Amino acid sequence: MKTKRVLIANRGEIANRVARACRELGHTAIGFYTDNELNAQHLQYCDEWIHLKGSTNAETYLNMDAIIELAVQHKVDGIHPGYGFLSENGIFAEKLNKAGIVFIGPNVEAIKVMGDKATSKALAQKAGVPVVPGTSEAVPTIAEAIKVANEIGYPILLKAVAGGGGRGMRACYDEDEIKKQFEAVGRESLSAFGNGDLLVEKLILNPRHIEVQILADKKGNVFHFFERECSVQRRHQKIIEEAPSPFIGEDEELRRELCETAVRLAKAVNYDSAGTVEFIMGEDKSFYFLEMNTRIQVEHPITEEITGVDLIVCMIQSAFGEDLNIPSQEWITRSGHAIECRICAEDPITMLPSPGLVTGFETNFPQGVRFDHCLFKDLEVTPDFDPMVGKLVAKGIVRSVAIRKMRAALEGVYIEGLKTNIPLHKVIMNEETFIAGKYSTSYISEIAPQDKINTEVDFTSIYKKMAGIEAKRLGM
Amino acid sequence: MKTKRVLIANRGEIANRVARACRELGHTAIGFYTDNELNAQHLQYCDEWIHLKGSTNAETYLNMDAIIELAVQHKVDGIHPGYGFLSENGIFAEKLNKAGIVFIGPNVEAIKVMGDKATSKALAQKAGVPVVPGTSEAVPTIAEAIKVANEIGYPILLKAVAGGGGRGMRACYDEDEIKKQFEAVGRESLSAFGNGDLLVEKLILNPRHIEVQILADKKGNVFHFFERECSVQRRHQKIIEEAPSPFIGEDEELRRELCETAVRLAKAVNYDSAGTVEFIMGEDKSFYFLEMNTRIQVEHPITEEITGVDLIVCMIQSAFGEDLNIPSQEWITRSGHAIECRICAEDPITMLPSPGLVTGFETNFPQGVRFDHCLFKDLEVTPDFDPMVGKLVAKGIVRSVAIRKMRAALEGVYIEGLKTNIPLHKVIMNEETFIAGKYSTSYISEIAPQDKINTEVDFTSIYKKMAGIEAKRLGM
Amino acid sequence: MRTYLIDSEKNEVVVDLTKTIIHSSDKVEFEFSSFVDSELVNKKSVIIRQLAGSYFYSENGVSWSKIAKQKLPKKILSIDRVFDVYRGYKPSGLAGGGEGALLTQMPGKIVKILVKEGDEVYKGQTLVILEAMKMENEIKCGVDGVVKSIHVKEGDALDSGILMLEVE
Amino acid sequence: MRTYLIDSEKNEVVVDLTKTIIHSSDKVEFEFSSFVDSELVNKKSVIIRQLAGSYFYSENGVSWSKIAKQKLPKKILSIDRVFDVYRGYKPSGLAGGGEGALLTQMPGKIVKILVKEGDEVYKGQTLVILEAMKMENEIKCGVDGVVKSIHVKEGDALDSGILMLEVE
């Protein structure tokens, strides 16, 4: 296999991750640094460093033309977009194809179909994949919305066609609420996503967010790598993920059905890369297709940990038309349980982003902990970028062992100068509902573990910090 | 489970490893430092640091009374001996029992039976475990030795009852050689091990060294965690191990037979901890019991990587009479392939120990590499201790992926100031016999990968070192 | 040396490094004394040991925990609390009652007066050095202006809350 | 500054740092020139960049590889070869022909003579500073003794192999 030149059009921990996959494959990893991140830590795993001029995302990691120009100029064979930024942008993928550069992701058609709520839902239905009862096309009027609501029953959700990440949706428990909310949500969506069209959907109560990892090659082979549960969310953004799902638990029948449904959908869209099919699961274990993310996902490590496969490596191989060396679905097995805690630069109680300068960073972990991160002493966490600075992953033979390991791992992260949500994770790892695995997406709002964080400052903790500072001052 | 105070009567990477297991279990890890290793790196994972006075091994890590006295003084619940030193010393275990301290290892009887070649061989035969044809008791005279040799056929091996690690053995291809060697080997053994008794054994040609990992609790449950192949050896000491064995390969029938044989033996000796049953396997895949190591082994990580179990954690739990949470043998599965390269402070060509001062240390790994080590800038590798400074472990879904990952991993270790065998490992990972998995214990002597090491010094390599030095000088 | 930690709610902790014993090139002992509202509320001896390139903290020399090295930061964080850190002297904004009126914040002795009446001074300029708790504290000016009057002289031993000089 | 690398077989490589350009606090460029038997055999400009606390090496400013930081070590190892490192000057044992006779090892100019005839000198003491290849080289004494005679004066431009002074 000829070694390739791979450009990573991303930053932070995922850029590290992709570069390390290239390192294994013998490919040349090429990384960007921008005006506002000259000391981009992810360059440390890259073989070549390129200056992507500008500071705003629009000037840099969202700037298709600048990226493609640099890619051509540096004779790049393929571009890995990571997650976020241009990772699900069909136009970008199209432009790359035109430029003769491989987009390390799925085919353009798949991106486009799955990128639109309505068309993806329609496709799912055609493929016999259960979807949340509701409309697959935009609902033009309030009257129409109410008509649909009466068919599928309350509560319902008003949802922006172009929305995502939990933004642009509103729950309505009766007709009046629809009348009140309809136009407001429409206006919001228009300004937020440039599209005011709304869908009406049945609202699933106490839902679980469960997703299936897909990996496919360019030869029509589509495999699943089991599921992940991502129900611990704040503001509809995941902060803790696990594999396998504690809600599905020992129900192998349900697990197989869910995973095979995801594969069926992926095949229907001729999927040919790493991707994730997201489902919402009700308390009765009925599940409905939400959306398909046509990219690698933040939480991919927990799947790698329980299946032993390197998803990023496979994704790159698939993009270049190489074999995945996976003989069959049955050949893919899972063992143990993995948990991921997203480490974010945010206030652990308000969970609002809290940028800052990392003045000290150390770790001291038990065995078998994985920490994908972009932290280093002197890292400036700016509001420009995602507040997530790392992903702490612990694996055990069973869930209780993974939780035990995660507790010890959280105790072993020392970050100075930055507020992080580590104190929140520490509480959750000792909170009974989580330990019992009986949580839904409303966990944070209902159980409110953030309220159990002990914020008391004791002198020992102050002396520890001061002593570290004074010792450093002495040049020790 | 009440948290315990665990004393680690060892140093180097294994002391790190045990301390990290304690960290996960919430136990207090107590570490030693000696006069000749005040900056013992393994203390970094220990919660308490105790001074074990003295410099020679006899004064320190072999000094039972001093260790037990300190253990009592510091209210220790249990002692983990690591490997080497007192790890297989029945008297030490006995003394601990008397002192009311838990020996984190098997029962005294098991240690003693397996510690003696003759009695262990006899037990194996009683348990129906195949042993290398030969005598199970010492052979008093040359005439007797020749008589046995004629029965079992040449070539034969003259082997010290008390020998080990390949020391105290000599091959004889005919009667004359026995006459020549018998007394010489006896004298050597007497001076080396304080016991001149010899056994006569059939010599297996092109043998594979294959061992089975055992884990047992105090309730009579004995499990195996599949096999490891350790045939890449120099001076009868392992330098590369893999799991599973490429020689056994897809022969699941043979694998099950081997592993179940090991379990049978462990049960016969009422084994109740982590241990390893070592076998020698001929080219016809017939296998014979060699010895049982009644301790955790250097190469345990590769088994942990393919089975997902934490052997040290389980070993500690077993010692304190806790459950291992392993429902059945069938529940234990393996996936993927793991390789370990022992990183030793030695000349890569002569393979002789080469102590020194580590003047610089960095790593830059692909994803999914495990490096258990005791390296840090300013580490002084002295002749007092084992030259092994680390164990590089790479895992992949299949063997070829593990090799690919190991190649990248070896490129990512930067050790300055110390000769290491990394250049040798780099050659082996690209050598066809190894890649084909068709090697025997004579691999190093016959294939001689050490002769393929390129020792040429180019200016770039010199400039790299000088530039690092000058930049540091500038205080950058 | 003394350090002022002042959090977002303007709560103030004063940490004095009242003793430093260097045991070896990689082992040092510190004695810290903490004051809240000029009251000694806590005093502790701690040991820092460098091992394999990292710092470890101990209060008894037996049990150790790893800590992160850091240069003197502008902020120290604890869970959700942020302390602004001022080292060696109080920040101008807090250097005495009124903007221009410098009062002693603790009992101490005037080591040096760096200005005379009529001098033009700027915000942040050191006007007086006050020795207190075995530490020299630079007393800075809180405003730009002119030194109107000086009420103390070098060598004076003062109680807390004494007006040293005024700037207008 | 120059550095002598001498391996176990007494093979000698002389590495001169002939240029240092500091681009920023974490980026510096070095020009190295290497000599074997006083012959320039190699010359190269390299860049060192500090990133996230580690050093990275580049020869073209585009492709980078990580290297280990180290303080000037006594030995530099390469695979199975060990070089003794001497910085700035040749080790006394190699400081010129006879033990007590200091000869120029390369063409250069006498910058300073630090002793006069009759002075008692000790092994390792710097006797002369010789400028060569834009570098000042401390010429050290190879033996304990007394300066017998000085054959050069400050400012002299000398060829290689010239006897500068004698100690006995």
Side-chain angles (χ1 to χ4, degrees):
Chain A
M1 169 212 65
K2 179 182 154 302
T3 71
K4 304 287 198 302
R5 292 173 59 76
V6 176
L7 175 62
I8 301 161
N10 213 307
R11 60 169 296 285
E13 66 85 20
I14 192 63
N16 277 333
R17 176 68 185 90
V18 174
R20 297 176 87 187
C22 293
R23 189 168 292 268
E24 175 180 335
L25 290 166
H27 296 334
T28 301
I30 306 170
F32 280 137
Y33 59 97
T34 55
D35 294 347
N36 57 332
E37 200 179 26
L38 294 169
N39 289 315
Q41 184 257 20
H42 62 261
L43 294 178
Q44 72 179 315
Y45 293 108
C46 296
D47 305 297
E48 297 185 16
W49 304 353
I50 303 179
H51 188 183
L52 178 59
K53 296 194 177 53
S55 293
T56 66
N57 290 344
E59 293 170 320
T60 57
Y61 294 107
L62 290 175
N63 187 342
M64 300 188 209
D65 297 339
I67 291 171
I68 292 169
E69 190 187 332
L70 285 167
V72 170
Q73 190 180 316
H74 287 81
K75 304 189 168 38
V76 160
D77 297 302
I79 293 186
H80 196 301
Y83 49 68
F85 294 131
L86 298 172
S87 58
E88 293 180 289
N89 187 312
I91 295 150
F92 180 61
E94 230 162 8
K95 284 176 178 247
L96 285 186
N97 295 347
K98 286 208 189 67
I101 296 169
V102 172
F103 175 77
I104 300 175
N107 61 77
V108 175
E109 188 54 25
I111 298 173
K112 288 186 167 171
V113 170
M114 289 305 176
D116 179 280
K117 285 217 171 353
T119 57
S120 65
K121 200 168 171 182
L123 179 93
Q125 283 169 308
K126 222 165 97 276
V129 175
V131 299
V132 178
T135 62
S136 54
E137 270 95 41
V139 179
T141 66
I142 294 183
E144 179 65 20
I146 291 169
K147 182 167 154 298
V148 176
N150 290 332
E151 287 163 21
I152 63 178
Y154 289 92
I156 63 100
L157 205 59
L158 290 176
K159 213 167 153 199
V161 168
R167 281 144 64 244
M169 44 175 66
R170 198 79 50 84
C172 299
Y173 287 76
D174 57 37
E175 199 167 309
D176 293 356
E177 280 192 283
I178 294 180
K179 289 179 183 147
K180 260 205 249 63
Q181 304 290 0
F182 192 84
E183 277 150 353
V185 180
R187 276 194 307 279
E188 282 173 26
S189 307
L190 185 60
S191 65
F193 318 108
N195 177 347
D197 294 351
L198 298 182
L199 305 173
V200 175
E201 239 178 42
K202 183 163 185 57
L203 174 62
I204 312 295
L205 292 168
N206 298 326
R208 268 72 178 179
H209 178 114
I210 299 176
E211 59 190 27
V212 177
Q213 176 66 51
I214 294 293
L215 181 64
D217 61 21
K218 304 275 180 214
K219 307 178 175 78
N221 298 307
V222 181
F223 304 107
H224 74 78
F225 284 75
F226 306 101
E227 85 285 1
R228 295 183 290 256
E229 178 154 359
C230 318
S231 303
V232 180
Q233 306 181 345
R234 53 128 171 72
R235 295 193 302 281
H236 296 277
Q237 290 172 324
K238 305 161 186 171
I239 55 172
I240 297 176
E241 301 96 345
E242 328 185 40
S245 157
F247 185 65
I248 292 178
E250 303 300 300
D251 191 341
E252 296 303 333
E253 182 49 52
L254 173 62
R255 174 167 289 118
R256 208 184 61 255
E257 191 192 339
L258 180 79
C259 294
E260 284 172 357
T261 303
V263 169
R264 198 160 66 243
L265 178 68
K267 281 184 168 157
V269 72
N270 302 315
Y271 204 74
D272 55 358
S273 183
T276 299
V277 183
E278 297 195 327
F279 295 93
I280 188 168
M281 192 176 280
E283 285 189 307
D284 60 355
K285 292 192 169 175
S286 62
F287 58 86
Y288 309 96
F289 168 69
L290 275 184
E291 61 175 347
M292 181 170 191
N293 295 319
T294 56
R295 52 166 166 86
I296 194 67
Q297 234 156 337
V298 171
E299 58 270 28
H300 74 275
I302 54 176
T303 297
E304 293 182 325
E305 290 302 312
I306 64 163
T307 62
V309 73
D310 187 317
L311 290 167
I312 308 279
V313 162
C314 291
M315 191 178 177
I316 295 171
Q317 290 175 315
S318 162
F320 288 117
E322 288 155 22
D323 273 327
L324 300 179
N325 304 311
I326 298 171
S328 72
Q329 180 65 59
E330 294 59 42
W331 183 83
I332 302 164
T333 61
R334 65 181 174 85
S335 71
H337 190 96
I339 299 178
E340 170 179 280
C341 289
R342 297 189 187 196
I343 310 303
C344 302
E346 64 185 30
D347 184 289
I349 292 160
T350 65
M351 300 180 218
L352 294 172
S354 175
L357 175 71
V358 176
T359 54
F361 173 58
E362 286 273 359
T363 63
N364 200 9
F365 290 137
Q367 189 66 53
V369 168
R370 170 176 170 178
F371 192 26
D372 290 14
H373 67 86
C374 60
L375 286 159
F376 64 98
K377 191 181 152 308
D378 300 333
L379 168 68
E380 177 90 55
V381 178
T382 70
D384 305 359
F385 300 121
D386 190 303
M388 192 185 77
V389 292
K391 308 180 305 195
L392 195 56
V393 178
K395 187 199 174 183
I397 42 171
V398 293
R399 186 169 184 266
S400 60
V401 172
I403 291 174
R404 183 178 72 196
K405 203 186 285 279
M406 181 60 85
R407 283 187 200 128
L410 288 163
E411 293 298 332
V413 186
Y414 315 95
I415 302 172
E416 295 293 348
L418 203 64
K419 279 192 199 176
T420 74
N421 58 352
I422 289 174
L424 174 63
H425 287 306
K426 287 179 180 174
V427 169
I428 294 175
M429 288 303 139
N430 290 284
E431 192 283 318
E432 58 186 7
T433 313
F434 178 82
I435 291 171
K438 299 196 183 326
Y439 54 84
S440 75
T441 54
S442 54
Y443 175 75
I444 293 290
S445 50
E446 282 173 8
I447 307 291
Q450 60 275 26
D451 299 343
K452 302 195 185 73
I453 297 172
N454 172 10
T455 62
E456 206 177 282
V457 181
D458 59 346
F459 285 103
T460 297
S461 73
I462 290 180
Y463 294 156
K464 273 189 180 178
K465 294 171 193 291
M466 298 307 299
I469 291 162
E470 291 298 332
K472 178 89 179 160
R473 231 183 105 255
L474 289 172
M476 191 167 90
Chain B
M1 173 212 64
K2 176 183 155 302
T3 71
K4 304 287 198 302
R5 293 174 57 76
V6 175
L7 175 63
I8 301 160
N10 212 307
R11 58 169 297 284
E13 67 85 20
I14 192 63
N16 277 332
R17 177 69 186 85
V18 174
R20 298 176 86 185
C22 292
R23 190 167 291 267
E24 174 179 335
L25 290 165
H27 296 334
T28 301
I30 306 171
F32 279 138
Y33 59 97
T34 55
D35 295 348
N36 58 332
E37 198 179 30
L38 295 170
N39 289 315
Q41 184 256 20
H42 61 263
L43 294 178
Q44 71 179 315
Y45 292 108
C46 295
D47 305 296
E48 297 186 15
W49 305 352
I50 302 180
H51 187 181
L52 178 58
K53 296 192 178 53
S55 292
T56 65
N57 290 343
E59 293 170 320
T60 57
Y61 294 106
L62 290 175
N63 187 343
M64 300 189 209
D65 298 337
I67 290 170
I68 292 169
E69 191 187 331
L70 286 167
V72 170
Q73 191 181 315
H74 287 81
K75 304 191 166 36
V76 161
D77 297 302
I79 293 186
H80 196 301
Y83 49 68
F85 293 132
L86 298 172
S87 58
E88 291 179 290
N89 187 313
I91 295 152
F92 181 60
E94 230 161 10
K95 283 172 179 255
L96 285 185
N97 295 346
K98 287 205 190 67
I101 296 170
V102 171
F103 175 78
I104 300 176
N107 60 77
V108 174
E109 187 54 24
I111 298 172
K112 289 188 168 172
V113 170
M114 289 304 177
D116 179 281
K117 285 215 169 359
T119 57
S120 64
K121 200 168 173 182
L123 178 93
Q125 282 170 307
K126 223 165 94 278
V129 174
V131 299
V132 178
T135 62
S136 54
E137 271 94 41
V139 178
T141 65
I142 295 185
E144 178 64 22
I146 290 170
K147 184 168 152 299
V148 174
N150 290 333
E151 287 162 23
I152 62 178
Y154 289 92
I156 64 99
L157 206 57
L158 290 176
K159 213 168 153 197
V161 169
R167 280 147 63 246
M169 44 174 68
R170 198 79 50 85
C172 299
Y173 287 76
D174 57 37
E175 203 167 304
D176 294 356
E177 279 189 284
I178 295 180
K179 289 178 183 151
K180 258 203 249 68
Q181 305 287 3
F182 191 82
E183 276 148 356
V185 181
R187 276 194 306 279
E188 280 173 28
S189 309
L190 185 60
S191 64
F193 317 109
N195 177 347
D197 293 352
L198 298 182
L199 305 172
V200 175
E201 238 179 43
K202 185 165 182 59
L203 174 63
I204 311 294
L205 292 168
N206 297 324
R208 269 71 176 178
H209 178 114
I210 300 176
E211 59 190 26
V212 176
Q213 178 65 52
I214 294 294
L215 181 63
D217 60 22
K218 303 278 181 211
K219 306 177 174 81
N221 297 307
V222 181
F223 304 106
H224 73 78
F225 285 75
F226 305 100
E227 85 286 2
R228 296 183 288 257
E229 178 155 357
C230 317
S231 303
V232 179
Q233 306 181 344
R234 54 129 170 72
R235 295 193 303 278
H236 298 276
Q237 292 172 324
K238 306 160 184 170
I239 55 173
I240 297 176
E241 301 95 346
E242 352 184 16
S245 156
F247 185 65
I248 293 178
E250 303 301 300
D251 191 340
E252 295 303 333
E253 180 51 50
L254 173 61
R255 176 167 288 116
R256 210 185 60 256
E257 191 193 337
L258 179 79
C259 294
E260 285 172 356
T261 303
V263 169
R264 198 159 66 242
L265 179 68
K267 283 185 168 156
V269 71
N270 301 314
Y271 205 73
D272 55 357
S273 182
T276 300
V277 183
E278 297 194 329
F279 295 94
I280 187 170
M281 192 175 278
E283 286 189 307
D284 60 355
K285 293 190 170 177
S286 62
F287 58 85
Y288 309 97
F289 168 68
L290 275 184
E291 60 176 347
M292 179 168 193
N293 295 319
T294 57
R295 51 166 165 86
I296 194 67
Q297 236 157 335
V298 171
E299 59 269 29
H300 74 274
I302 55 176
T303 297
E304 293 182 325
E305 290 302 312
I306 65 164
T307 62
V309 74
D310 189 317
L311 290 168
I312 308 279
V313 162
C314 291
M315 192 179 175
I316 294 171
Q317 290 176 316
S318 164
F320 287 117
E322 288 154 21
D323 271 330
L324 301 179
N325 304 313
I326 298 172
S328 71
Q329 179 66 58
E330 294 59 43
W331 184 85
I332 302 164
T333 61
R334 63 181 176 85
S335 73
H337 190 95
I339 299 177
E340 169 179 281
C341 289
R342 298 191 186 193
I343 310 302
C344 301
E346 62 183 32
D347 184 290
I349 292 161
T350 65
M351 298 180 219
L352 295 172
S354 175
L357 176 71
V358 176
T359 54
F361 173 58
E362 287 274 0
T363 63
N364 199 8
F365 290 137
Q367 189 67 55
V369 168
R370 170 175 172 179
F371 192 25
D372 290 13
H373 67 84
C374 60
L375 286 159
F376 64 98
K377 193 182 150 312
D378 299 332
L379 168 68
E380 176 88 55
V381 178
T382 69
D384 304 357
F385 299 120
D386 190 303
M388 191 184 78
V389 292
K391 307 180 304 194
L392 194 56
V393 178
K395 185 198 175 184
I397 41 170
V398 292
R399 186 169 184 266
S400 61
V401 171
I403 292 175
R404 184 177 70 195
K405 204 184 283 279
M406 182 60 84
R407 283 187 199 125
L410 288 164
E411 292 298 331
V413 185
Y414 315 94
I415 302 172
E416 295 292 348
L418 203 63
K419 280 191 199 178
T420 74
N421 58 353
I422 289 174
L424 174 62
H425 287 305
K426 287 179 180 173
V427 169
I428 293 174
M429 289 302 138
N430 290 284
E431 191 282 318
E432 59 184 10
T433 313
F434 178 83
I435 291 172
K438 299 197 184 322
Y439 54 84
S440 76
T441 52
S442 54
Y443 174 75
I444 294 289
S445 50
E446 280 173 9
I447 308 292
Q450 60 275 26
D451 299 345
K452 301 196 185 73
I453 297 171
N454 173 9
T455 61
E456 207 177 282
V457 180
D458 61 345
F459 285 103
T460 297
S461 74
I462 290 180
Y463 294 156
K464 274 190 180 176
K465 294 171 192 290
M466 297 307 302
I469 291 163
E470 291 298 332
K472 177 84 179 165
R473 230 183 106 256
L474 289 172
M476 191 168 90
Chain C
M1 204 50 170
R2 66 177 0 197
T3 302
Y4 297 80
L5 307 178
I6 297 154
D7 77 2
S8 41
E9 289 84 43
K10 292 266 167 278
N11 302 318
E12 181 178 327
V13 183
V14 179
V15 181
D16 273 3
L17 174 55
T18 35
K19 202 181 293 171
T20 300
I21 305 166
I22 295 172
H23 291 285
S24 73
S25 64
D26 54 16
K27 187 174 176 187
V28 59
E29 190 172 347
F30 299 114
E31 182 189 75
F32 290 112
S33 306
S34 293
F35 302 82
V36 173
D37 307 328
S38 303
E39 289 297 315
L40 176 66
V41 292
N42 186 288
K43 186 170 190 162
K44 198 175 267 177
S45 256
V46 308
I47 311 168
I48 296 295
R49 174 90 152 70
Q50 176 156 245
L51 183 84
S54 303
Y55 284 174
F56 292 81
Y57 172 95
S58 179
E59 295 182 358
N60 57 11
V62 175
S63 38
W64 297 82
S65 58
K66 199 174 192 176
I67 59 172
K69 288 181 184 187
Q70 53 178 329
K71 289 215 189 69
L72 182 71
K74 289 195 182 54
K75 296 183 182 309
I76 283 182
L77 278 79
S78 176
I79 312 294
D80 67 334
R81 261 174 91 181
V82 183
F83 291 92
D84 294 317
V85 183
Y86 305 94
R87 198 158 186 299
Y89 59 86
K90 281 200 180 185
S92 41
L94 300 145
E99 280 296 271
L102 267 65
L103 296 105
T104 52
Q105 294 304 307
M106 69 214 81
K109 187 155 142 294
I110 302 286
V111 176
K112 200 156 186 40
I113 300 171
L114 301 153
V115 292
K116 55 185 183 329
E117 292 181 3
D119 282 4
E120 277 193 17
V121 291
Y122 54 88
K123 183 174 177 180
Q125 181 177 351
T126 303
L127 304 184
V128 175
I129 294 178
L130 181 79
E131 186 192 3
M133 277 121 182
K134 300 182 236 47
M135 297 289 154
E136 290 198 348
N137 301 267
E138 299 178 12
I139 307 300
K140 305 252 170 179
C141 188
V143 292
D144 298 333
V146 174
V147 177
K148 180 183 159 212
S149 55
I150 302 180
H151 306 288
V152 293
K153 62 181 191 312
E154 295 181 0
D156 284 0
L158 307 173
D159 284 342
S160 185
I162 302 296
L163 179 66
M164 292 180 285
L165 52 73
E166 295 166 87
V167 175
E168 67 173 15
Chain D
M1 206 46 169
R2 68 177 0 200
T3 301
Y4 296 79
L5 308 179
I6 298 156
D7 77 2
S8 42
E9 289 84 42
K10 292 264 166 280
N11 303 318
E12 182 179 327
V13 183
V14 179
V15 182
D16 273 3
L17 173 55
T18 36
K19 203 181 293 169
T20 300
I21 306 165
I22 295 172
H23 292 286
S24 74
S25 64
D26 55 16
K27 188 175 177 187
V28 57
E29 188 172 348
F30 298 114
E31 181 190 76
F32 291 111
S33 306
S34 293
F35 302 82
V36 173
D37 309 327
S38 304
E39 288 297 315
L40 176 69
V41 291
N42 185 286
K43 187 172 191 155
K44 197 175 270 176
S45 256
V46 307
I47 311 168
I48 296 294
R49 175 90 152 69
Q50 177 157 245
L51 182 84
S54 303
Y55 284 175
F56 292 81
Y57 173 95
S58 179
E59 294 182 359
N60 58 11
V62 174
S63 39
W64 296 82
S65 57
K66 198 173 193 177
I67 59 172
K69 289 182 181 187
Q70 53 178 328
K71 292 216 187 68
L72 182 69
K74 290 196 179 55
K75 296 184 182 306
I76 284 183
L77 277 78
S78 175
I79 313 291
D80 66 333
R81 259 172 95 180
V82 182
F83 291 92
D84 294 316
V85 183
Y86 303 94
R87 197 161 187 296
Y89 60 88
K90 280 201 183 187
S92 41
L94 302 145
E99 280 294 271
L102 266 66
L103 294 107
T104 53
Q105 295 303 306
M106 67 216 84
K109 187 155 138 295
I110 302 287
V111 176
K112 197 152 188 48
I113 300 172
L114 301 154
V115 292
K116 57 186 183 323
E117 292 182 4
D119 282 2
E120 278 196 19
V121 293
Y122 54 88
K123 183 174 180 182
Q125 181 180 350
T126 303
L127 304 183
V128 175
I129 295 176
L130 182 77
E131 187 193 3
M133 279 123 181
K134 303 182 234 50
M135 296 292 152
E136 289 198 348
N137 301 269
E138 298 177 10
I139 306 301
K140 304 256 170 175
C141 188
V143 293
D144 299 334
V146 174
V147 177
K148 182 182 156 210
S149 54
I150 303 180
H151 304 288
V152 294
K153 61 182 190 310
E154 293 180 2
D156 283 3
L158 306 173
D159 284 343
S160 183
I162 301 296
L163 179 66
M164 292 179 286
L165 53 72
E166 295 167 85
V167 176
E168 68 172 13

